[in-house]
């Protein structure tokens, strides 16, 4: 996403898969609207290389902005393609450039510990990356999100903005409010199905099959649980959400892990008589 202003362009993220086409897109838009084409600011949504790995293309004069944790992660990663941000913030930051405005907000860890919400109030447009996937289910393993309760809550935070347009960071189209509502329904169903599965799936056959090999029992049980939890969700959303049949089994597996470690729902492995 980028915003043209009287004083230059504010870019949000620089995906390496787009690379130099970022500069061509800026040139096209600024030629059409008569605003300067120099990119003066680059906002980082989060530290992942698939979103900001072309940052170095913008040179050393651009002012980079990210959440405080974003800077820590990028200093650690020490990747020449992803220079750490020059300006950092904790909870919120208003970026005003050339008569235009972006509201940056950190609402706690979700997909990553540094993932932020970038809102353009004048355009009712929100960018938040790797949280809502318009038209698709979340990528394998709930988009490798690091804080699952935080990530589930981030969907609701995204809906709480009075926005009409969502830039989700993947899959080539913008999102509507209906896209967010559909994904929340999918995740609500997946969580409920996982809870019902862990409450009802009998572990006895797995103990009988694997004896005292605790890890094998655990693995076989949760593989079976993922299938049982995912099947009805796949059936319900097939034709509504792309890749529902591809990723829901892995998404269910991560949901079980989170149920255990975040929600304290240990299922048949939680009893200590
Ligand atoms: Zn990411």
């Amino acid at each position: 996403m980028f915003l043209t202003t009287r004083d230059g362009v504010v870019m949000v993220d620089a995906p390496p898969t787009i690379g130099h086409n970022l500069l061509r897109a800026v040139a096209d838009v600024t030629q059409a609207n008569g605003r300067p084409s120099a990119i003066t600011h680059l906002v980082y949504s989060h530290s992942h290389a698939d979103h900001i790995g072309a940052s170095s293309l913008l040179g050393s004069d651009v002012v980079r902005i990210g959440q405080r944790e974003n800077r820590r992660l990028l200093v650690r990663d020490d990747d020449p393609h992803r220079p750490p941000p020059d300006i950092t913030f904790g909870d919120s930051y208003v970026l005003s450039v050339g008569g235009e405005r972006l509201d940056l907000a950190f609402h706690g860890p979700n997909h990553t510990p540094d993932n932020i919400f970038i809102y353009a109030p004048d355009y009712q447009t929100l960018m938040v990356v790797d949280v809502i996937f318009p038209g698709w289910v979340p990528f394998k393993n709930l988009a490798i999100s690091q804080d699952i309760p935080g990530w589930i809550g981030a969907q609701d935070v995204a809906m709480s903005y009075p926005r009409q347009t969502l830039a989700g960071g993947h899959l080539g189209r913008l999102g509507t409010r209906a896209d967010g509502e559909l994904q929340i329904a999918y995740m609500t169903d997946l969580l409920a199905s996982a809870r019902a599965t862990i409450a009802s799936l009998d572990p006895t056959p797995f103990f009988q099959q694997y004896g005292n090999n605790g890890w094998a029992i655990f693995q076989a049980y949760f593989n079976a649980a993922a299938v049982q939890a995912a099947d009805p969700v796949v059936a319900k959303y097939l034709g509504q959400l792309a890749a529902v049949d591809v990723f829901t089994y892995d998404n269910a597996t991560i949901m079980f892990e989170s149920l255990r470690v975040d929600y304290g729902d240990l299922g048949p492995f939680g009893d200590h008589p």
Side-chain angles (χ1 to χ4, degrees), residues 46 48 50-51 111-112 129-130 143 170:
H46 67 302
H48 282 167
D50 61 323
H51 295 280
H111 169 65
T112 54
V129 170
D130 292 341
H170 283 283

Side-chain angles (χ1 to χ4, degrees), residues 44 46-47 52 64-78 82-89 113-114:
Y44 287 156
H46 67 302
S47 67
I52 63 167
R64 292 172 170 84
I65 303 154
Q67 208 271 346
R68 199 181 294 140
E69 191 68 6
N70 177 262
R71 181 174 169 83
R72 187 188 70 77
L73 290 165
L74 291 176
V75 167
R76 179 200 69 179
D77 291 351
D78 192 25
R82 291 178 288 153
D86 312 293
I87 295 175
T88 62
F89 64 94
D114 64 333

Side-chain angles (χ1 to χ4, degrees), residues 247-262:
F247 290 141
T248 299
Y249 299 93
D250 292 313
N251 288 345
T253 298
I254 297 303
M255 204 63 256
F256 282 120
E257 296 290 2
S258 180
L259 270 179
R260 293 178 54 248
V261 302
D262 299 319

Side-chain angles (χ1 to χ4, degrees), residues 149-233:
W151 179 85
I152 287 173
Q155 299 175 115
D156 297 322
V157 175
M159 295 304 288
S160 74
Y161 281 83
R163 52 126 181 127
Q164 297 305 319
T165 304
L166 175 100
H170 283 283
L171 299 163
R173 83 158 165 85
L174 298 171
T176 62
R177 294 194 69 84
D179 288 317
E181 284 157 8
L182 183 58
Q183 183 179 306
I184 288 170
Y186 165 84
M187 282 306 306
T188 302
D189 284 343
L190 186 61
L191 178 57
S193 188
R195 282 198 157 117
T197 297
I198 212 170
S200 67
L201 183 61
D202 181 5
T204 309
F206 304 99
F207 281 99
Q208 286 167 343
Q209 187 174 357
Y210 293 104
N212 59 5
N213 185 342
W215 281 150
I217 294 165
F218 210 68
Q219 164 83 352
Y221 179 88
F222 280 106
N223 283 349
V227 172
Q228 182 173 321
D231 274 345
V233 180

Side-chain angles (χ1 to χ4, degrees), residues 104-121:
L104 315 183
F106 177 65
H107 294 288
N110 49 72
H111 169 65
T112 54
D114 64 333
N115 202 28
I116 60 168
F117 293 71
I118 301 117
Y119 187 55

